DNA sequence: ACCTGAACACCGTTCAAGT
DNA sequence: ACCTGAACACCGTTCAAGT
C-alpha cells in the first residue's frame, strides 16, 4: 500500500508552506512534513541539505507570493511602508520563517523582488546613489528584525502569555517609588512589550523613513 | 557518591548563566544545565515551571548586571544610545535570552532598572508626559527586536553562514538586469544582512531617537 | 520532604540495507 | 537510482517510586 513515489521539490515546498500556514507554525518539523507527504523524513534530505535550506526556500516563495500582490504606489515613503506591512503580513505568525529570512536573507526571486523595490524606492526618494546601499541595508535589518520579533511574540501560547503579563504587572505595579520614581509615576500607562503590535511596527518604520528623509540633500 | 543535595534557585541561575555565556548558547538545554549541576533534569522543575520561566529569570539577572555597570551620562540621546549598546553587549550572542526578553520582558529588578532609565531619559528629553508611555514602548520594542535578531545572526554556524552568503551572492550577482535594474546597478555595493552589525544597530537606534527629538515641542 | 529513574512524546540527521 | 528502516544523539516535561 505504501507505494513509493518521487516527490518533486516543488511539491515538498507546497506542502511545507501549507503546514506552516495552518496549525501552529512554531512546531513545524521535518518529521511532520514527511508525515504530511506520506513519506519518510530521511527521503527529504536528498532535496535539501538541512532544515534551514528548506525553510529558506519556503521563505522565498512567500516573498514571491507577497510581491505578486504588491503594486508600487504613492510617494517613496508610502511605497516602503506598504512593502514593509506587506512582508509583515506575509510572514504573519511564522517565527521560523521570519527568523530564517532575517538571518540569512533568501536567495531566490522573491528576495530579489524585495531588494529591487526597496532600492528603487530609495532612488525615487532622491537619496544619492552612494548612500543607497547602506541605507538599504539598515532598512532591511530593521524590517526583518521587527517582523521576526513580532512573529515570535504572536506564536507564544496563551499560558506563556499570561505568565509573562503577570510578571510584567508585578514588576511595574510593585516597583518601589523611592527607587523607581519614573516607573511608579507611569505605572498605569506603561504597556507590556506585546501590546499594539501593528501600530508599533508601522510607527517605527515610518520614524526611520522620516530619518532617512531628513538626510536627503 | 551521588549524594543528593538541595540546590538553591540562585545556584541554578548562576550555573545557567555560566552555561549560556560559555559554549554555544544556542544549544543550552535543561538537560545540560542539570548535567552541569550534577543532578537530574526533573529536579529543576520544582524551581521553575518551565524552561521559559528559567530563561526569563536568567535574563533579568543579566539586565541587573548590565545596569550595575551603567552610569547615566550626557544628553538624553547619548544616555539612551549608551543603554541600548549596553543591553546589546549584555545579551551578546545569546539568542535564547534575547528572544525571551523581547517576547515577554522579564519581571524582576533588572527589568525595572531598564524601564526606569528609559523613562527618565525621555523625561529629560522634554517629551510631554502623556507621550512618554507610547514612545517608551516603541523604543523597547525596537531595541529588543534588534538585539534578538542580531543574537540570532551571530549564533549561526560557519557552515550555515557560508550557505547563506553564497545564496545571497547568487541572488544579487545573478540578477537579470532587465528585470532587476536597480539590483544589478548596486550589485557590488549591496551587503548581506549580517554585515556590519554594530554600526547598523547604532544608526537605527540613533535614527529613531532623532525622530523622537523632532516631535518634542 | 525532597530527589531520582524511567518513561512519554518528540526533535534533526545519517547511512546501511532494501527494492 | 531511489527510498526506507533503524539508529544515533538529542529535546522538554511528568510522575510514580524511592530515600
Amino acid at each position: 500500500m505504501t507505494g513509493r513515489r518521487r516527490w518533486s521539490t516543488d511539491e515538498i515546498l507546497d506542502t511545507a508552506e501549507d503546514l506552516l500556514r495552518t496549525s501552529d507554525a512554531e512546531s513545524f518539523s521535518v518529521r511532520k512534513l514527511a508525515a504530511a507527504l506520506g513519506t519518510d523524513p530521511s527521503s527529504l534530505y536528498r532535496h535539501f541539505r538541512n532544515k534551514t535550506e528548506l525553510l529558506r526556500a519556503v521563505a522565498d516563495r512567500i516573498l514571491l507570493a507577497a510581491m505578486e500582490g504588491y503594486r508600487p504606489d504613492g510617494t517613496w515613503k508610502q511605497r516602503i511602508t506598504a512593502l514593509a506591512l506587506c512582508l509583515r503580513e506575509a510572514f504573519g505568525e511564522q517565527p521560523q520563517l521570519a527568523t530564517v529570512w532575517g538571518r540569512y536573507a533568501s536567495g531566490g526571486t522573491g528576495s530579489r523582488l524585495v531588494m529591487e523595490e526597496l532600492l528603487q524606492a530609495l532612488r525615487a526618494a532622491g537619496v544619492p546613489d552612494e548612500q543607497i546601499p547602506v541605507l538599504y541595508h539598515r532598512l532591511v535589518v530593521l524590517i526583518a528584525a521587527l517582523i521576526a520579533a513580532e512573529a515570535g511574540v504572536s506564536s507564544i501560547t496563551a499560558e506563556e502569555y499570561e505568565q509573562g503579563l503577570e510578571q510584567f504587572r508585578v514588576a511595574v505595579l510593585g516597583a518601589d517609588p523611592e527607587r523607581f520614581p519614573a516607573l511608579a509615576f507611569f505605572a498605569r500607562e506603561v504597556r507590556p512589550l506585546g501590546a499594539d503590535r501593528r501600530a508599533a511596527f508601522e510607527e517605527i518604520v515610518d520614524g526611520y523613513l522620516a530619518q532617512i528623509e531628513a538626510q536627503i540633500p
Side-chain angles (χ1 to χ4, degrees), chain A:
Chain A
M1 204 58 195
T2 65
R4 74 167 126 100
R5 149 105 157 86
R6 279 201 285 300
W7 296 98
S8 75
T9 303
D10 273 341
E11 285 171 296
I12 294 172
L13 291 177
D14 275 342
T15 312
E17 214 179 317
D18 270 16
L19 217 56
L20 278 156
R21 195 179 11 249
T22 62
S23 80
D24 41 352
E26 183 146 51
S27 76
F28 172 84
S29 70
V30 175
R31 291 177 115 106
K32 280 180 190 154
L33 173 57
L37 287 161
T39 184
D40 193 272
S42 57
S43 65
L44 299 175
Y45 283 83
R46 209 180 355 291
H47 297 87
F48 304 96
R49 275 194 287 178
N50 48 47
K51 193 187 174 186
T52 299
E53 195 174 291
L54 189 153
L55 287 174
R56 195 149 41 187
V58 178
D60 201 75
R61 298 179 128 224
I62 293 206
L63 292 177
L64 200 61
M67 292 308 284
E68 250 158 42
Y70 169 87
R71 288 286 160 269
D73 190 36
T75 67
W76 68 273
K77 275 162 82 178
Q78 287 167 338
R79 278 168 71 180
I80 295 182
T81 303
L83 178 65
L85 285 170
C86 172
L87 298 180
R88 189 188 99 102
E89 191 148 341
F91 282 119
E93 326 234 310
Q94 304 175 1
Q96 291 206 47
L97 285 184
T99 301
V100 155
W101 178 59
R103 243 172 237 202
Y104 318 86
S106 80
T109 305
S111 197
R112 282 194 264 237
L113 287 167
V114 173
M115 291 194 237
E116 179 69 19
E117 169 59 12
L118 279 176
L119 291 169
Q120 284 190 16
L122 288 172
R123 274 195 145 172
V127 176
D129 277 356
E130 66 273 20
Q131 285 179 36
I132 285 185
V134 72
L135 286 182
Y136 160 82
H137 180 257
R138 305 276 187 271
L139 206 45
V140 177
V141 167
L142 174 65
I143 292 171
L146 289 175
I147 290 177
E150 219 188 298
V153 170
S154 71
S155 76
I156 65 180
T157 65
E159 195 198 342
E160 280 182 316
Y161 178 77
E162 273 316 316
Q163 237 174 273
L165 202 62
E166 185 50 34
Q167 283 222 15
F168 180 81
R169 277 201 208 98
V170 169
V172 171
L173 298 174
D176 171 14
E178 297 283 314
R179 197 171 169 200
F180 306 104
L183 185 53
F185 182 81
F186 289 111
R188 253 165 236 83
E189 260 67 57
V190 166
R191 318 237 59 213
L193 268 181
D196 219 7
R197 297 199 300 260
R198 195 197 138 105
F201 179 86
E202 207 169 334
E203 290 194 22
I204 291 171
V205 172
D206 284 350
Y208 193 67
L209 296 180
Q211 174 62 12
I212 291 178
E213 192 173 37
Q215 286 172 38
I216 299 170

